[in-house]
């Protein structure tokens, strides 16, 4: 089997990419050892290759006039001293700014070059490393933020993560030796609280023959969830499997085109079976085939920011909008955690912070702490599961500001559609690279340039819907392309109003989408549904709403959906029935009623001619004369000023 891997690697590794040539220039550890010198030399003496590559091996990203520092926080777990230290470093050197990220770690910004060595040293005093948080390295390992605490946690994974860290962490043999970055997640809980199918290597809680362990899924990247490797590993086998997997990727991974050299490309070329055989032979261990994957739910804390743990204490989720945090608040939260609990903080995949181990008696005091009260304002549906990547403020790839846009939309939706005991995952990426994991969101946003009604370029988003992370991993589907953000929020509002109207008790948006939206309606119909309501309400100021039925007869057949919507809209806008009755796609009359293109406008003068024509085309008595696809109507709706 290794011949297949060798052949694939040979075919792709004859001409190395530029980054590989840079990597060959020197050892990353030589650069690390000279950090004081680099800091003292300032920007004038900074070597191009250090700025472009080697410093990133230690989390230092040159932003032109200052540095961003990515700090590794395995499993997202910080003790009191570590949290305070990070906070103080941010205060002293980084404009008191901290970003919480989806890899359950933090990024400090605005660090002056003269301080970079000092900062790394200060973090090291409390056992915090920034090694291997950038470029071609095994990145921070994520897990359930309530690992070892929650009722649904079957296997505590932190000890396993520590063992994996020992394989590669700060180990020169594993610094910068992979062809590309390598993300890992390990989940020992029933609820998927860390996008567990979204990493290069995913260990997912499973059971086989009465033994709990992990099924392995491999090869996720932006826009693609990990594939089932049909492999089960026990707790003790995880480090061996992981090390062997890294070795195979290191040896056979592609080093030519950087756009196509994540693990998935090798997997796709050689096939999962051959790849796994390669890992087995590297490990000299015949791992068994997959058991039953046990991930079952999205969150055990539906609609609540306090979760009772197994030991009878609470974990409190501090909601940090878009993950925009500060050193001062990190310190304040650490103090509150120490005063009312045990001083521990748990960073989450959705850019928030859990404070565990708060007794029932201490809860009131904790919630009275000023910093906790400050963030309590965001304890609602739209902020609690929101994710937003850096955006234009701090990332050169960003197309839109993003974090402020996400916050603005969450405020808007909070005021428009309050839904108790609900959960909706809204994820924002400011560019197609997708760091905000919009592709697996219930409702995802990808930043782009859009045009407003006057044709002027404005900040916009592509909207995605229907991503799945529970029971199955599924990428979201495009609902609308390039909508101005000012318009997009209304489209989302109509989806959420439907959720509010038809939601069952305790039903998450993901479950609702499965049971109601995706099951009953095509994506094209949903796109028309949000667009027509936007036009009716926001453009024309009409108090008329097209509602979605719970059991439509159209059964996701586009021409039936289109005709059905047309009949409903005709009735809503004219007060009259378009036909006495219909059977499937045809009016059930000897002589079906004909209308003219301007009939709806004549019956209701508030309806512009263009919309009248659209309804004429949707409901024509002769189905051959009817528009058959929603895409045509969406284009026509754009013309309504
Ligand atoms: S998605 Fe784009 S803008 Fe956002 S952090 Fe990633 S690269 Fe930057």
């Amino acid at each position: 089997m290794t011949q297949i891997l060798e052949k694939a690697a040979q075919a792709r590794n004859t001409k190395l990419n530029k980054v590989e040539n840079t990597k060959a220039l020197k050892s990353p550890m030589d650069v690390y050892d000279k950090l004081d010198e680099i800091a003292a030399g300032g920007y004038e003496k900074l070597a191009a290759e250090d700025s472009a590559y080697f410093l990133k091996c230690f989390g230092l990203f040159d932003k032109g006039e200052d540095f961003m520092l990515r700090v590794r926080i395995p499993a997202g777990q910080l003790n009191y001293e570590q949290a305070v230290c990070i906070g103080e470093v941010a205060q002293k050197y980084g404009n008191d700014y901290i970003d919480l990220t989806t890899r359950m770690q933090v990024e400090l910004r605005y660090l002056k070059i003269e301080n970079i060595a000092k900062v790394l040293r200060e973090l090291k005093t409390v056992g915090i490393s920034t090694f291997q948080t950038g470029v071609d390295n095994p990145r921070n390992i994520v897990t359930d933020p309530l690992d070892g605490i929650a009722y649904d946690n079957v296997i505590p994974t932190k000890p396993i993560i520590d063992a994996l860290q020992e394989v590669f962490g700060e180990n020169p043999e594993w610094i910068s030796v992979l062809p590309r970055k390598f993300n890992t997640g390990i989940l020992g809980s029933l609820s998927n609280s860390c996008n567990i199918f979204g990493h290069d290597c995913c260990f997912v809680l499973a059971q086989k023959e009465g033994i709990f362990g992990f099924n392995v899924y491999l090869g996720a990247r932006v826009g693609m969830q990990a594939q089932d490797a049909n492999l089960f590993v026990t707790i003790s086998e995880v480090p061996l499997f992981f090390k062997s997997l890294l070795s195979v990727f290191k040896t056979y991974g592609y080093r030519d085109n950087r756009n196509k050299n994540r693990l998935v490309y090798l997997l796709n070329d050689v096939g999962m079976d051959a790849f796994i055989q390669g890992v087995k032979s590297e490990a000299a261990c015949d791992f068994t085939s997959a058991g039953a994957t046990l991930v079952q739910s999205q969150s055990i804390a539906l609609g609540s920011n306090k979760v009772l743990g197994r030991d009878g204490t609470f974990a409190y989720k501090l909601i940090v909008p878009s993950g925009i945090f500060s050193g001062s608040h990190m310190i304040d939260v650490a103090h509150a955690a120490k005063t009312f609990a045990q001083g521990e903080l748990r960073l989450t995949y959705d850019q928030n912070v859990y404070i565990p181990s708060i007794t029932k008696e201490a809860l009131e005091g904790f919630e009275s702490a000023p910093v906790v009260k400050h963030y309590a304002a965001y304890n609602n549906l739209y902020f609690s599961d929101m994710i937003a990547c850096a955006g234009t403020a701090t990332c050169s790839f960003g197309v839109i500001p993003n974090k402020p846009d996400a916050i603005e939309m969450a405020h808007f939706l909070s005021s428009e559609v309050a839904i108790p005991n609900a959960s909706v995952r809204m994820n924002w990426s400011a560019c197609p690279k997708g760091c905000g994991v919009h592709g697996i969101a219930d409702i995802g946003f990808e930043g782009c340039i859009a045009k407003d009604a006057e044709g002027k370029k404005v900040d916009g988003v592509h909207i995605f819907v229907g991503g799945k992370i529970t029971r199955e991993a599924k990428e979201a589907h495009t609902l609308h392309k390039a909508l101005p953000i000012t318009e997009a929020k209304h489209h989302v509002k109509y989806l959420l109003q439907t959720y509010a109207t038809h939601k069952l008790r305790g039903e998450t948006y993901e479950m609702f989408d499965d049971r109601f939206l995706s099951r009953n309606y095509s994506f094209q119909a949903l796109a028309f549904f949000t667009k027509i309501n936007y036009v009716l309400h926001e453009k024309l100021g009409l108090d008329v709403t097209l509602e979605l039925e719970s059991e439509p007869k159209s059964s996701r057949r586009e021409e039936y959906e289109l005709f059905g919507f047309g009949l409903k809209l005709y009735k809503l806008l004219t007060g009259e029935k378009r036909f006495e009755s219909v059977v499937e796609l045809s009016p059930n009359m000897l002589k079906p009623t004909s209308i003219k293109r301007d009939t709806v406008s004549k019956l209701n003068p508030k309806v512009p001619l263009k919309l009248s024509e659209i309804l004429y085309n949707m409901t024509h008595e002769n189905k051959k004369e009817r528009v058959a696809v929603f895409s045509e109507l969406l284009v026509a709706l754009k013309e309504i000023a």
Side-chain angles (χ1 to χ4, degrees):
M1 285 294 181
T2 47
Q3 287 107 316
I4 299 176
L5 285 161
E6 270 161 23
K7 215 170 143 197
Q10 273 164 14
R12 288 279 308 266
N13 290 344
T14 45
K15 189 167 182 283
L16 299 183
N17 62 53
K18 277 189 195 158
V19 175
E20 288 299 330
N21 293 332
T22 302
K23 283 155 84 172
L25 292 176
K26 52 179 119 165
S27 144
M29 284 311 288
D30 287 346
V31 176
Y32 181 75
D33 291 340
K34 287 186 188 143
L35 258 192
D36 279 308
E37 221 176 280
I38 291 170
Y43 263 106
E44 297 74 43
K45 294 193 179 157
L46 180 62
E49 67 273 14
D50 292 350
S51 156
Y53 186 84
F54 290 102
L55 288 174
K56 291 178 186 169
C57 290
F58 309 101
L60 287 160
F61 289 71
D62 181 4
K63 294 289 173 183
E65 48 193 32
D66 50 35
F67 279 77
M68 181 272 274
L69 176 65
R70 199 173 283 155
V71 179
R72 189 176 204 102
I73 303 176
Q77 297 186 17
L78 287 172
N79 63 32
Y80 171 75
E81 287 75 22
Q82 290 172 329
V84 169
C85 179
I86 289 174
E88 287 175 351
V89 164
Q91 281 180 327
K92 273 192 276 181
Y93 307 108
N95 288 6
D96 198 18
Y97 184 87
I98 293 177
D99 267 329
L100 307 180
T101 78
T102 54
R103 290 220 70 77
M104 299 170 85
Q105 55 194 358
V106 300
E107 290 176 357
L108 309 183
R109 298 185 184 275
Y110 315 114
L111 305 177
K112 295 286 167 221
I113 190 167
E114 61 265 30
N115 294 324
I116 56 175
K118 224 185 295 180
V119 165
L120 263 55
R121 252 197 306 275
E122 287 190 25
L123 292 172
K124 208 163 185 163
T125 59
V126 290
I128 290 181
S129 170
T130 63
F131 274 56
Q132 296 145 295
T133 52
V135 287
D136 302 345
N137 286 294
R139 306 294 187 83
N140 197 39
I141 301 175
V142 301
T143 185
D144 179 359
L146 298 178
D147 185 64
I149 293 175
Y151 268 101
D152 75 330
N153 180 240
V154 178
I155 302 177
T157 61
K158 182 60 169 43
I160 307 173
I161 291 174
D162 290 342
L164 299 185
Q165 284 270 134
E166 272 177 31
V167 171
F168 64 83
E170 300 206 359
N171 177 351
E173 280 177 32
W174 284 105
I175 298 174
S176 181
V177 296
L178 298 177
R180 199 72 155 87
K181 73 171 171 182
F182 192 87
N183 289 338
T184 304
I186 177 163
L187 181 67
S189 305
L190 298 174
S191 53
N192 182 1
S193 47
C194 61
N195 183 23
I196 192 57
F197 299 102
H199 312 273
D200 294 276
C201 173
C202 320
F203 295 103
V204 185
L205 179 68
Q207 189 261 101
K208 186 164 187 189
E209 291 161 9
I211 295 170
F212 291 98
F214 303 93
N215 279 345
V216 175
Y217 292 72
L218 298 173
R221 68 174 176 88
V222 169
M224 192 181 286
Q225 295 289 294
Q227 303 164 32
D228 187 350
N230 188 19
L231 197 89
F232 178 83
V233 286
T234 61
I235 296 169
S236 61
E237 286 171 342
V238 172
L240 173 64
F241 174 83
F242 185 69
K243 189 174 180 191
S244 309
L245 171 65
L246 285 183
S247 298
V248 170
F249 184 45
K250 175 185 156 193
T251 308
Y252 302 106
Y254 299 150
R255 293 175 190 267
D256 55 349
N257 180 355
R258 283 199 59 93
N259 292 325
K260 292 189 175 170
N261 70 345
R262 289 283 292 270
L263 176 69
V264 63
Y265 292 98
L266 177 61
L267 282 178
N268 287 348
D269 285 351
V270 303
M272 185 64 85
D273 287 349
F275 183 83
I276 289 298
Q277 282 310 321
V279 177
K280 284 180 178 175
S281 120
E282 174 71 28
C285 176
D286 201 14
F287 303 105
T288 180
S289 59
T293 295
L294 296 180
V295 172
Q296 285 177 3
S297 67
Q298 178 182 316
S299 165
I300 59 161
L302 179 77
S304 171
N305 67 319
K306 292 184 273 275
V307 189
L308 187 63
R310 279 213 186 113
D311 65 354
T313 65
F314 285 90
Y316 182 100
K317 191 176 186 184
L318 197 81
I319 307 299
V320 182
S322 292
I324 300 173
F325 210 37
S326 70
S328 304
H329 282 174
M330 179 76 102
I331 294 168
D332 290 347
V333 173
H335 286 328
K338 185 147 199 222
T339 309
F340 298 101
Q342 293 179 3
E344 191 192 353
L345 270 58
R346 302 268 184 112
L347 307 187
T348 73
Y349 148 78
D350 52 20
Q351 301 175 304
N352 297 307
V353 185
Y354 266 114
I355 297 88
S357 311
I358 309 171
T359 61
K360 197 173 166 206
E361 297 70 39
L363 202 51
E364 199 182 324
F366 176 80
E367 288 182 295
S368 309
V371 70
V372 179
K373 275 170 128 176
H374 170 82
Y375 286 100
Y378 304 104
N379 280 345
N380 83 43
L381 161 70
Y382 300 112
F383 284 100
S384 62
D385 293 313
M386 182 172 89
I387 290 174
C389 83
T392 46
T394 50
C395 179
S396 57
F397 294 105
V399 183
I400 59 170
N402 207 48
K403 282 181 187 281
D405 299 317
I407 291 171
E408 209 281 312
M409 188 178 287
H411 277 303
F412 171 77
L413 294 170
S414 306
S415 64
E416 292 279 325
V417 200
I419 317 175
N421 295 321
S423 162
V424 57
R425 297 175 297 108
M426 299 206 298
N427 300 353
W428 291 68
S429 301
C431 84
K433 285 184 180 281
C435 306
V437 286
H438 62 277
I440 47 108
D442 290 326
I443 305 175
F445 306 91
E446 180 190 308
C448 66
I449 298 299
K451 285 193 179 157
D452 68 9
E454 284 79 47
K456 213 171 77 203
K457 285 185 179 171
V458 293
D459 288 344
V461 282
H462 306 307
I463 301 183
F464 297 79
V465 291
K468 302 275 179 286
I469 60 166
T470 309
R471 293 197 189 97
E472 60 165 343
K474 196 168 135 202
E475 288 291 322
H477 194 284
T478 309
L479 184 74
H480 285 291
K481 290 207 133 198
L483 290 181
I485 296 178
T486 46
E487 178 180 334
K489 64 184 183 183
H490 295 287
H491 290 256
V492 176
K493 175 182 73 183
Y494 293 115
L495 290 174
L496 290 162
Q497 281 175 348
T498 309
Y499 175 42
T501 306
H502 295 278
K503 170 182 170 294
L504 301 178
R505 189 171 55 190
E507 192 174 44
T508 63
Y509 189 92
E510 182 174 324
M511 290 153 74
F512 169 72
D513 182 75
D514 263 346
R515 176 186 64 81
F516 185 100
L517 288 179
S518 296
R519 185 162 174 208
N520 290 328
Y521 294 96
S522 66
F523 287 114
Q524 294 83 351
L526 293 175
F528 178 83
F529 159 74
T530 64
K531 185 75 182 182
I532 189 71
N533 280 321
Y534 170 72
V535 168
L536 292 172
H537 282 263
E538 277 71 37
K539 287 265 189 179
L540 302 176
L542 296 171
D543 191 18
V544 165
T545 307
L546 175 69
E547 310 264 4
L548 296 180
E549 288 171 37
S550 52
E551 286 180 10
K553 296 194 184 85
S554 47
S555 310
R556 303 185 92 246
R557 290 167 296 180
E558 193 171 352
E559 51 179 342
Y560 283 74
E561 291 175 315
L562 193 150
F563 185 51
F565 281 175
L567 297 180
K568 273 187 168 194
L569 285 165
Y570 187 90
K571 177 89 195 322
L572 284 168
L573 290 168
T574 65
E576 294 179 9
K577 278 177 111 178
R578 175 72 179 85
F579 303 111
E580 268 315 304
S581 65
V582 292
V583 175
E584 302 224 311
L585 290 176
S586 303
N588 186 19
M589 296 174 69
L590 287 175
K591 230 177 137 212
T593 330
S594 294
I595 59 168
K596 294 207 164 59
R597 290 179 177 275
D598 61 356
T599 299
V600 180
S601 289
K602 282 203 167 138
L603 290 169
N604 181 351
K606 288 183 184 158
V607 174
L609 182 59
K610 188 76 206 173
L611 183 53
S612 184
E613 280 177 354
I614 288 172
L615 292 178
Y616 169 85
N617 287 327
M618 290 174 83
T619 63
H620 200 286
E621 59 277 13
N622 179 354
K623 64 182 175 192
K624 288 200 184 122
E625 298 291 320
R626 253 175 245 154
V627 170
V629 289
F630 282 113
S631 52
E632 245 180 87
L633 299 176
L634 288 170
V635 172
L637 282 173
K638 275 191 192 161
E639 290 173 31
I640 298 175

